[in-house]
Structures are given as structure tokens and as C-alpha cells.
């Protein structure tokens, strides 16, 4: 989105970006900060290019307002100005602005700044997705201060290799050549949670990743993480995540 109260600047920047864009991104334009905030309420914006000096809501004020957004949803920001003022540049740095461009803006400088800003926005979104997918309980498994036994290590490999298939604790115990009862106690002792809970959390972790990265249906994802029933998958998802798979996808993407 391009925000500038000068129509000529808005048009010029839009044309340069449309020519470079090749249809990959939709370009929006706003004549002031208030109009920009209205667009931001309705649409997901990946990159904001805004003039610093505008009536009512300045570019700096607009950038400061966006700090309240969740980091993974916050657009990358490029500030533009007709004045090379140190105070502006200093504040831009404090706001985490990607670049500070002086008018008139040449095509090469604009495209270079835009590509850098979009890369930053994508990295921020990637980190945000990882944080949503990660299971804090799984991060703590095996944190007992002593190394895992070979049997439990092999069982963990078996689980990851077969998450798309239904299997039982007995199947895993057979794979590592242990009595199921002994294996159950050993697994919980070393991993800090039962075999069943661990498998469920791993399946849901993989499902969350698919919900955010793919357009597969909930039923298709359920099947790919080892659930024979989409209804049972949805029930377990809600139990562990507090929402349905569909709501999780809609609120996290």
C-alpha cells in the first residue's frame, strides 16, 4: 500500500511497482493516514510505503500505530520524504522501518527497497507461523537431564515415520523389541508424557503446519496425520488447541 497526500507521487510509485510487480501483488493507494488505517482494517497488507509528512496522521504516527499489531501480521514499512531530516531518520530506525527514501525516488532505489522489505515481511511471517505451530509441551519432552535410551530414540523415529498411519503403542513396542507394559513405563519416564499424548501432540503439530502452509481440506489433513475420522481429528484438535481446525486456519493465516 502506498500512502501519500500528493496524487502525482501516489500515481508515480504505483506505476513503477505495477510494472515491476507482474501481477504478484495487489497495489493499494491511500491519500492520507486515516484512509490507510481503513484499508488495513479490511485487508492484509504486507508492505506499507508512506510519506512522513501528511495532514492529521503522519507517516511516523501511522508506523507507530502499526506496532500494536501482532508481529507476524505487521507490514514491513518504507518511509518516504522530501526532506533529509535527521530527526525523521532517527525515529524511523526506532520504529523498525526497513528503509527511508528521499523524493524524487528513482526506480532502482524503490525496487531495491521494496524487495528487501518484502523479504523481511516474509521472514517475519515464517517465524510467526513457526511460533503458532510449535507445541511447548513437546519442546520440554525428554528434558530429564539424562540421555534417551536407544529404544525410546528408535520409537520416536518410528512415530515420525508413521504419523500418516494409524498405529498403537504395541506396534511401537514391537518395533523396538520390548514388552508393551515395560515400554509404556520407559517412554513416560524418559519423555515426561505418555506415549498416547506424545503421538497426539506430534500429529496435531504436523496438522497445524499443514493448515497454515497448504490449502488441503480438514478431512485431507486428518487423513495425512493418521486419523481415520475427520470428526475424531476435529475433536482432538479442539481439545488440545481450544478451537476447531477451520477456526485455527482462519485466525492464524
Amino acid at each position: 500500500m502506498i500512502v501519500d497526500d500528493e496524487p502525482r507521487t501516489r500515481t508515480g510509485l504505483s506505476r513503477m511497482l505495477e510494472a515491476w510487480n507482474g501481477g504478484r501483488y495487489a497495489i493499494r493507494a491511500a491519500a492520507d493516514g486515516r484512509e490507510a488505517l481503513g484499508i488495513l482494517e479490511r485487508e492484509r497488507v504486507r508492505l506499507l510505503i508512506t510519506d512522513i509528512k501528511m495532514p492529521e496522521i503522519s507517516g511516523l504516527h501511522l508506523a507507530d500505530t502499526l506496532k500494536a499489531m501482532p508481529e507476524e501480521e505487521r507490514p514491513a514499512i518504507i518511509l518516504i520524504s522530501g526532506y533529509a531530516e535527521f530527526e525523521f531518520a532517527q525515529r524511523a530506525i526506532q520504529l523498525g522501518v526497513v528503509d527511508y527514501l528521499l523524493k524524487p525516488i528513482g526506480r532502482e532505489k524503490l525496487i531495491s527497497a521494496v524487495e528487501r522489505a518484502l523479504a523481511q515481511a516474509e521472514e517475519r511471517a515464517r517465524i510467526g507461523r513457526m511460533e503458532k505451530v510449535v507445541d511447548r509441551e513437546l519442546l520440554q519432552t525428554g528434558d530429564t537431564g539424562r540421555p534417551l535410551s536407544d529404544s525410546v530414540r528408535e520409537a520416536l523415529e518410528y512415530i515420525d515415520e508413521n504419523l500418516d498411519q494409524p498405529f498403537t503403542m504395541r506396534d511401537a513396542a514391537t518395533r523396538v523389541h520390548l514388552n508393551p507394559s515395560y515400554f509404556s513405563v520407559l517412554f513416560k519416564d524418559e519423555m515426561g508424557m505418555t506415549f498416547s499424548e506424545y503421538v497426539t501432540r506430534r500429529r496435531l503439530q504436523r496438522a497445524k503446519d499443514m493448515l497454515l502452509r497448504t490449502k488441503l481440506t480438514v478431512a485431507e489433513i486428518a487423513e495425512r496425520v493418521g486419523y481415520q475420522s475427520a470428526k475424531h481429528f476435529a475433536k482432538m484438535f479442539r481439545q488440545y488447541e481450544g478451537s476447531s481446525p477451520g477456526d485455527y486456519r482462519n485466525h492464524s493465516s
Side-chain angles (χ1 to χ4, degrees):
M1 179 165 60
I2 299 163
V3 190
D4 198 301
D5 58 333
E6 297 178 2
R8 182 179 295 181
T9 300
R10 289 200 307 275
T11 301
L13 293 178
S14 294
R15 284 176 177 171
M16 282 190 280
L17 290 179
E18 290 285 4
W20 160 82
N21 181 29
R24 289 175 294 171
Y25 305 102
I27 309 293
R28 298 283 181 267
D32 55 46
R34 193 170 302 282
E35 185 181 352
L37 288 174
I39 294 173
L40 284 162
E41 288 177 359
R42 300 190 303 271
E43 300 182 44
R44 177 78 175 270
V45 175
R46 298 182 63 184
L47 171 60
L48 177 71
I49 303 173
T50 178
D51 190 15
I52 288 182
K53 286 192 171 181
M54 293 184 296
E56 293 189 56
I57 299 177
S58 71
L60 288 174
H61 187 141
L62 184 58
D64 195 35
T65 300
L66 298 185
K67 290 177 68 177
M69 296 176 67
E71 188 170 357
E72 68 274 10
E73 297 177 12
R74 194 183 313 154
I77 301 171
I78 295 174
L79 291 179
I80 56 179
S81 175
Y83 308 92
E85 295 189 26
F86 175 74
E87 180 186 349
F88 289 161
Q90 187 179 44
R91 184 68 181 127
I93 292 171
Q94 293 171 347
L95 290 170
V97 170
V98 177
D99 217 329
Y100 177 71
L101 303 177
L102 293 177
K103 300 176 183 178
I105 303 168
R107 183 184 183 282
E108 287 188 12
K109 277 194 172 181
L110 175 65
I111 299 308
S112 175
V114 165
E115 288 178 340
R116 190 162 57 252
L118 287 172
Q120 184 190 88
E122 179 58 36
E123 178 63 14
R124 186 186 295 153
R126 186 186 68 81
I127 292 172
R129 285 194 299 270
M130 288 175 59
E131 290 177 347
K132 285 184 171 69
V133 167
V134 73
D135 184 316
R136 303 294 175 186
E137 295 294 325
L138 284 180
L139 287 178
Q140 298 175 21
T141 55
D143 189 18
T144 60
R146 63 180 188 273
L148 297 177
S149 64
D150 290 342
S151 295
V152 169
R153 286 185 183 279
E154 188 177 351
L156 295 178
E157 292 176 7
Y158 173 81
I159 292 168
D160 280 349
E161 290 169 1
N162 293 276
L163 277 180
D164 61 335
Q165 301 293 329
F167 59 84
T168 65
M169 185 185 68
R170 182 176 294 276
D171 294 327
T174 299
R175 168 70 175 266
V176 300
H177 310 294
L178 289 178
N179 173 277
S181 297
Y182 175 73
F183 172 71
S184 174
V185 173
L186 178 68
F187 190 94
K188 185 175 182 180
D189 180 52
E190 294 192 10
M191 297 299 292
M193 67 175 64
T194 65
F195 178 85
S196 176
E197 181 181 1
Y198 180 85
V199 171
T200 297
R201 288 185 178 277
R202 283 292 293 121
R203 283 183 164 146
L204 295 182
Q205 186 176 48
R206 185 170 291 184
K208 288 189 291 183
D209 184 53
M210 289 183 184
L211 285 166
L212 297 184
R213 288 194 310 103
T214 76
K215 294 184 178 180
L216 293 171
T217 66
V218 170
E220 288 171 330
I221 291 173
E223 185 178 352
R224 294 191 183 200
V225 294
Y227 286 93
Q228 295 177 306
S229 161
K231 185 177 180 180
H232 183 219
F233 165 67
K235 178 183 177 182
M236 298 306 294
F237 196 97
R238 184 178 291 278
Q239 180 179 324
Y240 279 82
E241 299 298 327
S243 70
S244 70
D247 286 344
Y248 175 88
R249 168 179 270 167
N250 293 334
H251 294 151
S252 300
S253 57

